[in-house]
């Protein structure tokens, strides 16, 4: 609590209610959780590219935005696949300090938005409960929905990236039943585990194309030409 806040005479109970979410986590943060299977290929690429693209647009990854990842069969403590690191380096993104995590209840509880690689991952996250259904999408599903949202209907970035992000998720959830995928495959990012570098590059490009409109909607800033 800052000095100005200390002088407002807010009771402890009132202050906690104002500063925390339903699950007891800060209201001034927005957590994006990327989920794949092993958390060594797709979700690490998506996590680090999200951080990189947000920082490119805003100058820094901050404003309460937290980007994480985990795997439904996560290789706990494992390093990122070498080809995934190479793909990230080619995008100029930072792959350092990454370790795989197994998806836990606490990750889902804390997340404001869960983006999965496939529909099966989405189903697994939702089956964990925690009212995750309205905030869990496949990455490509979320991209499709975001493209249909008029940016003018979202709060301006002056209101904070957290406020804008929460509004974006609500708008996407409202559209889900009205904007279906053209095919089942359209919502999938296939697993490159064990594949050669060219396949990793194609998956990286696929993730990049899906992330670009999402990050633009989150930040209100388009990618640099």
């Amino acid at each position: 609590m800052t000095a100005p806040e200390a002088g407002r005479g807010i009771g402890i109970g009132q202050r906690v209610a104002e500063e925390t979410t339903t699950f007891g986590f800060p209201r001034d943060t927005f957590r994006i959780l990327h989920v794949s299977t092993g958390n060594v290929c797709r979700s690490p690429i998506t996590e680090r590219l999200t951080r990189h693209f947000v920082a490119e647009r805003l100058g820094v990854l901050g404003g309460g935005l937290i980007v994480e990842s985990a795997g439904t069969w996560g290789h706990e403590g494992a390093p990122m696949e070498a080809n995934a690191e190479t793909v990230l380096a080619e995008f100029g993104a930072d792959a350092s300090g990454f370790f795989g995590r197994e998806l836990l209840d606490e990750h889902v509880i804390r997340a404001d938005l869960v983006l999965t690689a496939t529909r099966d991952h989405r189903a697994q996250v939702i089956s964990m409960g925690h009212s995750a259904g309205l905030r869990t999408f496949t990455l490509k599903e979320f991209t499709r929905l975001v493209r249909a949202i008029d940016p003018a209907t979202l709060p301006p970035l002056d209101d904070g990236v957290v406020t804008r992000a929460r509004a974006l998720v609500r708008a996407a959830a409202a559209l889900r039943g009205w904007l279906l995928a053209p095919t089942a495959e359209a919502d999938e990012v296939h697993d490159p585990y064990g594949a050669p570098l060219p396949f990793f590059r194609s998956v990286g490009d696929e993730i990049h194309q899906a992330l670009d409109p999402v990050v633009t909607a989150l930040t209100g800033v388009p990618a640099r030409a």
Side-chain angles (χ1 to χ4, degrees):
M1 184 171 60
T2 65
E5 289 172 333
R8 291 176 187 167
I10 299 174
I12 292 175
Q14 181 183 350
R15 186 172 64 246
V16 170
E18 289 178 353
E19 293 179 355
T20 60
T21 67
T22 305
F23 297 113
F25 298 108
R27 286 188 182 277
D28 58 355
T29 61
F30 185 92
R31 288 180 180 267
I32 301 174
L33 176 66
H34 293 291
V35 175
S36 62
T37 303
N39 194 215
V40 291
C41 298
R42 287 168 292 182
S43 51
I45 291 174
T46 315
E47 172 197 318
R48 295 306 176 94
L49 283 183
T50 302
R51 293 185 186 185
H52 178 66
F53 294 145
V54 170
E56 276 190 331
R57 286 162 168 79
L58 299 182
V60 64
L61 178 57
L65 191 64
I66 299 169
V67 186
E68 304 173 310
S69 64
T72 54
W73 289 86
H75 299 180
E76 189 72 32
M80 192 186 308
E81 282 287 292
N83 284 342
E85 289 189 358
T86 299
V87 167
L88 286 172
E90 291 174 351
F91 278 107
D94 182 13
S96 65
F98 181 87
F99 294 99
R101 301 192 305 176
E102 182 176 356
L103 181 66
L104 303 176
D105 288 274
E106 66 188 71
H107 301 145
V108 177
I109 290 170
R110 290 165 66 109
D112 297 285
L113 172 63
V114 184
L115 297 176
T116 70
T118 69
R119 291 168 297 149
D120 283 346
H121 296 134
R122 181 185 63 194
Q124 289 181 64
V125 171
I126 293 173
S127 73
M128 294 172 73
H130 314 302
S131 304
L134 291 177
R135 51 195 167 92
T136 303
F137 310 79
T138 74
L139 170 63
K140 288 187 173 182
E141 174 192 20
F142 194 66
T143 301
R144 184 175 68 254
L145 298 172
V146 163
R147 287 184 184 277
I149 296 168
D150 182 355
T153 64
L154 298 174
L157 192 58
D158 286 348
D159 289 353
V161 68
V162 170
T163 298
R164 186 179 176 93
R166 292 190 191 284
L168 183 66
V169 173
R170 289 194 299 269
L175 283 174
R176 178 153 34 196
W178 301 93
L179 194 62
L180 302 179
T183 66
E185 289 293 303
D187 281 345
E188 306 278 303
V189 176
H190 294 294
D191 193 353
Y193 185 76
L197 182 57
F199 190 74
F200 268 84
R201 285 186 174 128
S202 70
V203 168
D205 288 339
E206 198 174 345
I207 291 171
H208 173 207
Q209 290 171 23
L211 277 177
D212 183 70
V214 171
V215 175
T216 296
L218 276 172
T219 62
V221 181
R224 283 179 265 181

